[in-house]
Amino acid sequence: MRDIQNEKDTREIPLQKVGVKGVRYPVCVLDKNKKNQNTTATVDLFVNLPHKFKGTHMSRFIEVFHKHHKDITMLHFLDMLEEIRTKLEAEQAFGSITFPYYIEKNAPVSNAQGIMEYTCSFEGEVSEKERKFFITIRVPVTTLCPCSKAISEYGAHNQRGNVTVKLLYSKFFWIEDIIDVIEKCASSPLYSVLKREDEKAVTEHAYDNPRFVEDVVREVYLGLKKLDFSWFSVEAENEESIHYHNAYAYTEYNN
């Protein structure tokens, strides 16, 4: 049959990225405690397209991804992109997957069990000369305002926030360990199940550990720096409970 994608294009316009976007697919990722975890990812896969080609073969992206979806781990993600690049005869391949990651978490006093969800992303780029891979992890936390605590006769406003870190991969690490670093830098972690004794403990812990959004970013920065990443970024955004705006802070580390 006629292969229109491989026919020549006379407009002489190269495309930096062509491919498939927003594909929902089951995947299997590594889990520190349970070895593996099945979840569902949103997938974007692209290659560059030289000006002489009319189009790319979209189905080949899915074919290669399907081959790897049961082992789409940090260790193999770039291998999957390299196979896409080779199969589509491209100079570069790009890909990202975003997925919910679930951790069983006990309440701090009662030890009541519940499941917490964290949003994670793998993002990579491969060529003949270079391979880059980033992991992004978003963690919901509680923060309590130091200023509110300092100026109020009783109480202090607190709110839920999100801390997002993006890490340049150089050596293997566990997602759970990064989440633990982040949660320890907030006023308090979040839990899906809290009994009354837990609620008391969490409230008092947050009150004893007030954090501005700037404090959270700086503390996470220091925690990640100890883990020897060559590059990372940290951002935090609080959904303010008494202001009609969100509070935000961001920084990067580059060794």
Side-chain angles (χ1 to χ4, degrees):
M1 289 186 287
R2 183 182 176 186
D3 188 351
I4 295 179
Q5 285 95 333
N6 275 340
E7 293 181 0
K8 290 185 177 181
D9 193 281
T10 59
R11 289 166 286 191
E12 298 186 348
I13 302 173
L15 303 178
Q16 278 68 46
K17 290 183 180 180
V18 297
V20 297
K21 189 176 176 67
V23 179
R24 297 279 290 171
Y25 224 81
V27 295
C28 183
V29 296
L30 292 180
D31 185 305
K32 185 177 182 179
N33 297 315
K34 297 181 179 179
K35 190 175 180 180
N36 294 300
Q37 181 174 145
N38 294 308
T39 184
T40 302
T42 300
V43 183
D44 300 335
L45 299 169
F46 313 109
V47 293
N48 72 302
L49 188 69
H51 69 86
K52 62 182 178 180
F53 293 118
K54 191 172 187 66
T56 190
H57 294 82
M58 300 294 180
S59 62
R60 293 180 187 174
F61 291 96
I62 307 301
E63 289 174 351
V64 175
F65 188 79
H66 181 77
K67 176 181 174 182
H68 291 268
H69 79 284
K70 293 183 179 180
D71 186 15
I72 199 70
T73 61
M74 295 181 194
L75 300 174
H76 298 121
F77 189 80
L78 291 181
D79 293 335
M80 180 269 297
L81 288 182
E82 176 61 25
E83 187 171 339
I84 287 175
R85 188 185 76 83
T86 303
K87 193 160 188 175
L88 288 163
E89 301 179 21
E91 296 172 352
Q92 294 174 289
F94 314 85
S96 67
I97 65 169
T98 301
F99 54 93
Y101 189 78
Y102 298 99
I103 296 178
E104 189 173 274
K105 191 174 182 182
N106 293 352
V109 179
S110 69
N111 284 320
Q113 293 182 328
I115 299 291
M116 284 291 296
E117 178 187 330
Y118 305 89
T119 301
C120 301
S121 297
F122 294 167
E123 180 182 353
E125 175 183 341
V126 299
S127 67
E128 288 187 359
K129 297 181 179 180
E130 192 173 32
R131 292 161 70 97
K132 290 183 180 180
F133 182 39
F134 296 91
I135 297 92
T136 301
I137 304 168
R138 188 177 71 197
V139 179
V141 297
T142 290
T143 58
L144 184 135
C145 178
C147 181
S148 176
K149 177 180 177 179
I151 64 177
S152 302
E153 293 185 10
Y154 47 86
H157 81 81
N158 55 74
Q159 52 275 317
R160 187 186 302 175
N162 283 293
V163 180
T164 303
V165 300
K166 186 173 183 178
L167 310 159
L168 177 62
Y169 181 89
S170 57
K171 61 181 180 180
F172 179 78
F173 62 89
W174 292 105
I175 290 174
E176 290 87 344
D177 293 342
I178 303 301
I179 292 172
D180 184 59
V181 168
I182 295 170
E183 290 185 334
K184 287 178 178 177
C185 295
S187 296
S188 173
L190 296 184
Y191 301 87
S192 59
V193 178
L194 291 173
K195 304 294 186 179
R196 280 178 294 179
E197 59 267 34
D198 301 310
E199 188 169 348
K200 178 180 185 297
V202 169
T203 300
E204 292 174 348
H205 180 77
Y207 192 78
D208 291 336
N209 293 277
R211 295 283 190 274
F212 289 125
V213 69
E214 298 94 332
D215 295 321
V216 175
V217 166
R218 286 172 171 147
E219 290 298 318
V220 173
Y221 180 103
L222 292 174
L224 294 178
K225 191 177 178 181
K226 295 177 182 177
L227 300 179
D228 295 325
F229 291 103
S230 61
W231 181 93
F232 60 78
S233 67
V234 185
E235 64 178 312
E237 183 172 357
N238 285 346
E239 300 174 0
E240 291 288 292
S241 60
I242 65 171
H243 300 288
Y244 191 57
H245 59 257
N246 288 356
Y248 179 82
Y250 174 90
T251 193
E252 292 182 11
Y253 171 79
N254 193 358
N255 186 7

